[in-house]
Amino acid sequence: MSEINRLVSEQLQWVVLGFAAVMLLLGVAVIVQGSKLRSMRRRYEVMMSGSGVEDLESLLLDLKNQSDMLEEGQSEQRTAIQAIEQKVRGMKSNVALKRYNAFGERGNDLSFSLAILDDNSSGIVITSLHNREGSLIYSKPMKNGDSQYPLSPEEKEVVTLALQQT
């Protein structure tokens, strides 16, 4: 037994030195990990400061709710834009005017034809015929490019000019 005691006492300094080295390495690892943890905590506190939220989970839930509200608002805006586009298509935005001398008399081009149409070729054609005795005004409704009343060549021309504006 004395031999074992002698062997252990001779090797004890190396065992203690080995344990000291391992302890030193573990101490360095703890210091490095503590530094990384402090750095991460500082970044977390900077991120969370001023947001009025106490933890990251609450922040993520708030962001998700905001995202859902934005998507809902975008959907409502998309619907409103589609309704506006439909309304704009129905507006009488295609207009053409032609002045002419209807009776070939001396004078100026005091007669005219005016076409006011929408994108579906629906609207109205107004014609004013002027002569020495007075003026006559006619209006003819248009629906899908046709009128139930016959159109004069000048009226057909202003309808064509109005539809070319689209």
Side-chain angles (χ1 to χ4, degrees), residues 52-111:
V53 180
E54 293 182 20
D55 62 354
L56 190 57
E57 182 180 5
S58 299
L59 177 66
L60 291 174
L61 288 174
D62 286 347
L63 289 174
K64 171 75 169 105
N65 290 336
Q66 288 176 2
S67 173
D68 291 344
M69 288 173 37
L70 287 173
E71 286 178 11
E72 184 178 312
Q74 187 179 26
S75 174
E76 290 172 4
Q77 290 173 350
R78 190 176 296 119
T79 303
I81 287 172
Q82 289 173 349
I84 289 169
E85 285 175 347
Q86 276 299 109
K87 190 171 186 174
V88 166
R89 281 190 208 107
M91 294 180 73
K92 311 300 186 224
S93 60
N94 303 321
V95 179
L97 174 72
K98 177 179 175 142
R99 292 180 60 116
Y100 53 94
N101 188 347
F103 299 107
E105 303 171 11
R106 275 195 237 152
N108 295 328
D109 295 339
L110 297 177
S111 297

Side-chain angles (χ1 to χ4, degrees), residues 42-53:
R42 270 188 250 120
R43 286 187 297 204
Y44 177 78
E45 287 173 357
V46 167
M47 180 180 70
M48 299 304 286
S49 68
S51 66
V53 180

Side-chain angles (χ1 to χ4, degrees), residues 128-158:
S128 172
L129 300 175
H130 180 76
N131 62 19
R132 288 185 183 179
E133 289 81 34
S135 292
L136 301 171
I137 298 177
Y138 302 95
S139 67
K140 298 176 183 175
M142 297 288 295
K143 185 154 183 145
N144 296 324
D146 291 326
S147 176
Q148 63 188 30
Y149 304 102
L151 298 175
S152 70
E154 292 83 7
E155 291 170 333
K156 289 178 183 177
E157 185 179 344
V158 292

